[in-house]
Amino acid sequence: MNAMILAAGRGERMRPLTDHCPKPLLTVGGRTLLDWHLARLADAGCRRVVINVAWLGQRIRDFVGDGSAWGLEVLISDEGDQALETAGGIIRALPWLGPHPFWVVNGDVWSDFDFRTLSSAPEGLAKLVLVENPSHHPHGDFHLDAASSVRTEGSGQRLTFAGIGCYRPDLFAGQRTAHAPLGPLLKRAADRRQLTGVQHTGAWFDIGTPARLARLDGWLSAGQVPSAADE
């Protein structure tokens, strides 16, 4: 199974911490966010990970090396001075990710999610991991119905996309490499009933501000595990 970590963002909301450090190299619980992700992917049996970079990308290259410290093959997709956003970054990396479904995780989330529980052959175009709505995003992103179908509208609890998913390359068919977010692609697929999902009820944290980073670091350093509702 191949995977991608989205790590090219500038981290504007995290300034001044990200003025001299790329967001994925910020530390929580004594480890960088990127270290947490690579270790969890390796534990799940992943062998190739693509990491996209832009802002301070060389710092990430230097930290990761060839990935052998985690037992992984790591490839760097360098997007230059301007990150291509989430969909654009994935589309650019598709030749390295291969023809089969692959995992993707946002570099700015922290979770104890076990990737081994995420199907390597999702029904439809993708399977998303959803979590309880955090306080800063109370209305969520998608409905998850009893049949595990993900919809933009309809029955079922409305939940927040965790920034973790398994995608078929066909989700990006006909899309060219350009600055483009992933959200609209997912919403179109949901409207066509081509997305499934699973709710993760364990630990998950969106690290969007210095205050959230400090809060998570405090919890992890104290041996506590946060959930989305703790944000």
Side-chain angles (χ1 to χ4, degrees):
M1 191 74 179
N2 294 335
M4 184 169 186
I5 300 173
L6 299 176
R10 171 64 176 83
E12 289 288 351
R13 293 180 300 164
M14 295 298 294
R15 298 183 68 183
L17 298 180
T18 51
D19 285 344
H20 304 289
C21 178
K23 194 173 181 180
L25 295 187
L26 295 175
T27 300
V28 290
R31 299 166 64 180
T32 67
L33 293 170
L34 197 52
D35 182 23
W36 284 105
H37 285 311
L38 290 169
R40 293 199 190 283
L41 289 169
D43 287 346
C46 186
R47 288 296 170 260
R48 169 180 284 188
V49 176
V50 180
I51 304 174
N52 66 332
V53 300
W55 172 251
L56 298 177
Q58 188 60 46
R59 294 279 304 274
I60 293 177
R61 285 181 185 272
D62 293 342
F63 177 79
V64 174
D66 62 2
S68 58
W70 295 269
L72 294 166
E73 176 193 14
V74 172
L75 303 175
I76 300 295
S77 178
D78 194 332
E79 297 175 5
D81 295 333
Q82 286 287 336
L84 293 173
E85 298 191 54
T86 44
I90 295 170
I91 293 164
R92 179 171 182 156
L94 284 176
W96 285 342
L97 291 166
H100 305 296
F102 51 87
W103 294 326
V104 176
V105 57
N106 289 359
D108 58 356
V109 300
W110 184 94
S111 177
D112 65 354
F113 180 77
D114 186 345
F115 282 87
R116 289 172 293 189
T117 66
L118 185 60
S119 172
S120 59
E123 296 181 24
L125 295 178
K127 186 169 187 176
L128 307 185
V129 177
L130 305 171
V131 295
E132 184 178 348
N133 299 330
S135 59
H136 68 272
H137 192 60
H139 303 298
D141 300 302
F142 296 102
H143 289 274
L144 181 64
D145 67 21
S148 299
S149 180
V150 171
R151 310 284 182 84
T152 53
E153 302 293 340
S155 61
Q157 184 179 1
R158 194 164 177 85
L159 299 167
T160 290
F161 175 43
I164 302 170
C166 183
Y167 304 109
R168 292 186 181 275
D170 288 349
L171 175 66
F172 307 94
Q175 304 293 317
R176 62 186 182 86
T177 301
H179 293 82
L182 182 59
L185 274 181
L186 295 179
K187 289 178 180 178
R188 286 197 292 272
D191 288 339
R192 294 194 296 265
R193 301 188 179 185
Q194 294 175 314
L195 292 187
T196 57
V198 60
Q199 182 177 0
H200 176 57
T201 58
W204 179 86
F205 210 84
D206 173 23
I207 303 160
T209 65
R212 283 188 225 155
L213 179 75
R215 199 153 59 243
L216 175 61
D217 184 49
W219 275 319
L220 294 179
S221 298
Q224 301 174 348
V225 179
S227 68
D230 289 323
E231 289 200 41

